[in-house]
Each structure stands twice: as C-alpha cells, then as structure tokens.
Amino acid sequence: MVFKNFRLQVVLRVVLLVASIFLFFSIGFKATYVGTQVALGLLIAAQTIWLIFFVERTTQRLIKFLNTIKYDDFSESFSPRGEGQLFDELYERYNEVMRKFRDIRSEKEATTQYFQTVVQHIGIGILTYRKNGEVQLINNAAKRLMQIPQLLHVEHLLPQAPQLVEQLLHLPAGQSAVLKLKHAREQVPVSVFVVDLKLRGEDFRLASIQNIQRELEEKEMEAWQNLIRVLTHEIMNSVTPISSLAGSVALDIQDVLEAQPSQTIVLQREETEDMGLALQTIEKRSQGLVRFVNDFRSLARVPTPKKQLFSLQEMFRQLQLLFQEEMAHEQITYVLVCTPASLQVAADRELVEQVLINLIRNAIHALADQPQKKLEVEAFMDSDSRVVIQVTDNGSGISEEAQEQIFLPFYTTKRTGSGIGLSLSKQIMRLHKGSLTVSSELGTGTTFTLRF
C-alpha cells in the first residue's frame, strides 16, 4: 500500500534515474564496458519514459474530468487510488463538482419541464421560432387554433393561413395584428402579437395567437346597444312633440268641422295663428330630425385616407392663421409647438386638419368661462418613434363619466351641437391605423392625444 503513494513513487523513480545516470558516467567510456553502458542507457531511457507516463496519469484524469463537463456526462465518478492524501482530496473535489453539476442539470430539467407544462396549458396560443421560421416550441392552444397536429416551420402554414405567415415573419416587434383563420366553413378572428428575443446570441421571435371572437361579439353587441339607445333617445325627442302637436291640430280641425257643418268654414284669426304656429313647430322639429339622420349618415361616409408625407409645422402655421382672429377676440393664449420643426407624418392632411379644427373648437368652448385662457397644440415623436399631436386646454375639464362616453355618436356635453364631431375624429384616426384618446381632470383642463 505504501508503494501506491504518488509522492513516494515519484521520489523513488527520480532517485533510481539519478543513480542510473551517475553509474553511466562513472564507469567511463571504455571499450570493455560498452555492453554495460548500452544497458544503462536503455535503462535510463526506460526510467525517463516510465516517469513521464506516471506523472501524466494525473493530467489524464484531469482531462477526463473536463471532458465530462464538456459533454454533460456527469455519470462518471473518481475513486481514490491510494496515491496520497493530496490526490484523495483532489478526487473528492472532482466528485463534489460532478454532484453539483448533476444537481444543477436535474433542477434545470425540472424547471424546463414545469414551464413547458405551464405553456402547454395556457389558453392563448404560444409559438416560438427562429427568424428564418424554424419552430422551436408550439403549445396545444396554438395547434387547436391553426388546426394542425405539429409544426416544424412557419411557412408550412402557407396553404391554409398565408396571412398568418406574413404577420409572423414580418410584423414589427411589439405590435399586434388582427386577422382571420379558417376553421372548416367559418372564419375565426384572431389577434397576433409578436416580440423579439435573443437567447445565447441567437435571435428568436415569440408570438401569441388569441381567439378574439367572443370579445369582438361582446364589443359589437355593446356598440349596437349604445347606438340603439342614442338613436331611440334622439328620435323620440323629435317624434314625441311632433306627434303631440299633430294630434292637437287634428283635434282642433275636427272641432271646427263639427262646429261648422256647412261647406264654407270660417276660422278666427287667433285659431289660424295657433294652427300655423303648430305647423311651423312640426316643420322645425321635422327638419331637426332630418339633420340628425344626415349626421348619422355622415358617420358611415368618412372617405378612405389618401396618405402622403407632409410637414406638421406648415399645417400648424395654417391653423394659426385660421384661428388667429377668433383667439384674439376670445383673449386666448394660443401656442403651437412642433418638435423638431422638420417633423413629418404620412397621413391625409385634409382629414387630419378636420380633426384638429374640431378639437380646437371644442377647446375654445371649454375655455369660455376661464379668466386665464390657454390653448396649446404640440407635435412630437414618442419613445416608440410614433408621431403624436396633443391639443391641451386649461378649461373646466371633463368628468370621468363623460370621458367614457364622449366618443359615442351624438353624445355631447354642449347645449348646442350634434355630438358627432369627436366620433368622426376617432373614426378618422382609426382609418389612419392610429388612435384618439382623452385625459382630463375637472377644474384643471383637458388633453386630446392623436397618435399615428
């Protein structure tokens, strides 16, 4: 057992090698000792090679340890071989590192399995793939939506869902798109949202695909209910007095006919004036009803935007000239800011001007009772590189309840007005693939934001 000690064996080999070399040179180079010298030379060479191989055994075990890490083969173990306390401790450290790697790999595999199970049970379709379209992961919800048992490449969806393939490969990161997937004889609306990921230096895309049929139906039903409620309210407001007045005139005429059965009927001036006034009222309310119907028809006749690139600074100058006299008369501080001055947007200029004119006029009305009146129109580019225009006033503000309904057709907080201006403006922004939102605080002011 003693001769298995590494240190002792190295010392013995070195001593024997030194003794052999000393003996080789001590006998001299005499012809009578040629055979002895050759034998000693061979012995020295053999001892040297033997010592090298013996020392390299430790290096080989280190290489073996590193290879287990390189190839993730942690089943290997290193047992002590009686080479001394130092080597026993070294092998024990090797084994500890191997056990640690095994624990890490087991934990990693368990975590991966857990997240894969979670992803597979999510109701929203999840799809991860490389930029070239090679699919890495697809969950059960995505398979059900696309009606496929498996998917290896995004382009394999081209026969049944070419629009989906186009969005998956080219939709800008952080944006969503709505399209339809064919299910048997039905078209199912889905929302697709894509983000870019980088994993170990490689680019990936993660897409979520969600069936929004129920949400759309609920929103559609809510919109119809709101529209019907507004329509019935407005129509009843006009039809009820018309019906009442018409009934009163009919009764008056019936009374006159019964009172004067002869062919010639004589009406008193007062009676004639009353009937004339009633008919004028009926005509006026009928005209109001016709205007209401025309306003309603205009909501469905917004033209398709003819987009072209134009300067916002130039448009602001024209708006300043347009409202200059009115602002001076109302004593409103009127500020238009475009940052940078060269900022441009691709949109239908006439329609955008219509939206801004409507918002500016609303702001002027909101400032009517304010002692210090200020109206600011500002254009800039946000953090997502989207062009934003904001119209801000320091008027009386809008209540939270009104903010929720202010974009509904025919809803208005003003005593006079059709209530379609903001609805038209929001529809124009939708046609531009943009948005129109409002933020307001009572007693502080209101900001309308156009985002292209």
Side-chain angles (χ1 to χ4, degrees), residues 34-197:
V34 171
T36 304
Q37 284 186 320
V38 170
L40 286 172
L42 293 174
L43 179 62
I44 290 170
Q47 287 178 328
T48 303
I49 295 171
W50 187 24
L51 179 61
I52 291 172
F53 281 152
F54 183 75
V55 173
E56 283 185 347
R57 282 171 54 193
T58 305
T59 305
Q60 290 172 354
R61 304 202 81 181
L62 177 60
I63 292 173
K64 182 180 179 182
F65 168 73
L66 295 176
N67 282 335
T68 59
I69 297 175
K70 178 180 179 181
Y71 298 109
D72 290 339
D73 180 16
F74 303 122
S75 59
E76 189 71 38
S77 63
F78 296 87
S79 57
R81 298 186 177 183
E83 297 171 312
Q85 183 179 358
L86 182 64
F87 280 89
D88 290 347
E89 186 176 351
L90 176 64
Y91 296 148
E92 180 60 29
R93 294 292 177 270
Y94 281 173
N95 291 330
E96 287 179 4
V97 172
M98 300 289 282
R99 285 194 295 270
K100 187 66 175 178
F101 273 113
R102 280 196 295 267
D103 293 342
I104 292 173
R105 186 171 66 177
S106 298
E107 184 178 352
K108 180 181 176 182
E109 290 175 351
T111 303
T112 302
Q113 184 64 33
Y114 169 77
F115 282 113
Q116 284 182 347
T117 303
V118 171
V119 168
Q120 292 299 332
H121 282 80
I122 290 176
I124 299 175
I126 300 294
L127 184 68
T128 61
Y129 51 98
R130 290 189 172 91
K131 286 293 184 74
N132 63 2
E134 183 182 349
V135 175
Q136 298 299 304
L137 181 145
I138 179 171
N139 70 346
N140 294 326
K143 293 176 185 177
R144 288 194 298 269
L145 277 173
M146 294 181 281
Q147 294 188 318
I148 53 174
Q150 194 52 266
L151 184 64
L152 300 178
H153 200 283
V154 170
E155 292 185 353
H156 293 170
L157 295 170
L158 278 172
Q160 65 266 33
Q163 289 183 335
L164 178 59
V165 174
E166 176 69 21
Q167 297 297 342
L168 290 175
L169 294 178
H170 302 112
L171 184 67
Q175 296 189 20
S176 61
V178 177
L179 49 89
K180 291 187 176 181
L181 293 179
K182 189 174 182 181
H183 280 197
R185 297 181 180 180
E186 298 180 355
Q187 296 286 336
V188 177
V190 297
S191 173
V192 180
F193 181 79
V194 176
V195 294
D196 288 338
L197 304 172

Side-chain angles (χ1 to χ4, degrees), residues 313-323 349 353:
Q313 179 80 353
E314 181 183 348
M315 183 181 69
F316 279 8
R317 280 196 293 267
Q318 292 189 3
L319 288 173
Q320 190 168 20
L321 291 173
L322 180 64
F323 288 98
R349 178 166 175 167
E353 283 182 349

Side-chain angles (χ1 to χ4, degrees), residues 239-254:
V239 171
T240 300
I242 290 175
S243 175
S244 178
L245 279 174
S248 297
V249 172
L251 286 174
D252 290 343
I253 293 174
Q254 184 65 31

Side-chain angles (χ1 to χ4, degrees), residues 213-230:
Q213 178 76 45
R214 180 175 297 178
E215 288 79 1
L216 288 179
E217 289 176 353
E218 290 177 356
K219 288 295 182 183
E220 184 179 3
M221 181 60 66
E222 183 181 350
W224 275 112
Q225 290 173 349
N226 288 332
L227 180 59
I228 291 170
R229 184 170 62 251
V230 171

Side-chain angles (χ1 to χ4, degrees), residues 2-18:
V2 176
F3 290 101
K4 289 185 178 180
N5 188 286
F6 178 80
R7 186 180 300 169
L8 180 60
Q9 289 191 52
V10 170
V11 171
L12 289 175
R13 284 179 170 82
V14 171
V15 169
L16 288 174
L17 180 60
V18 172

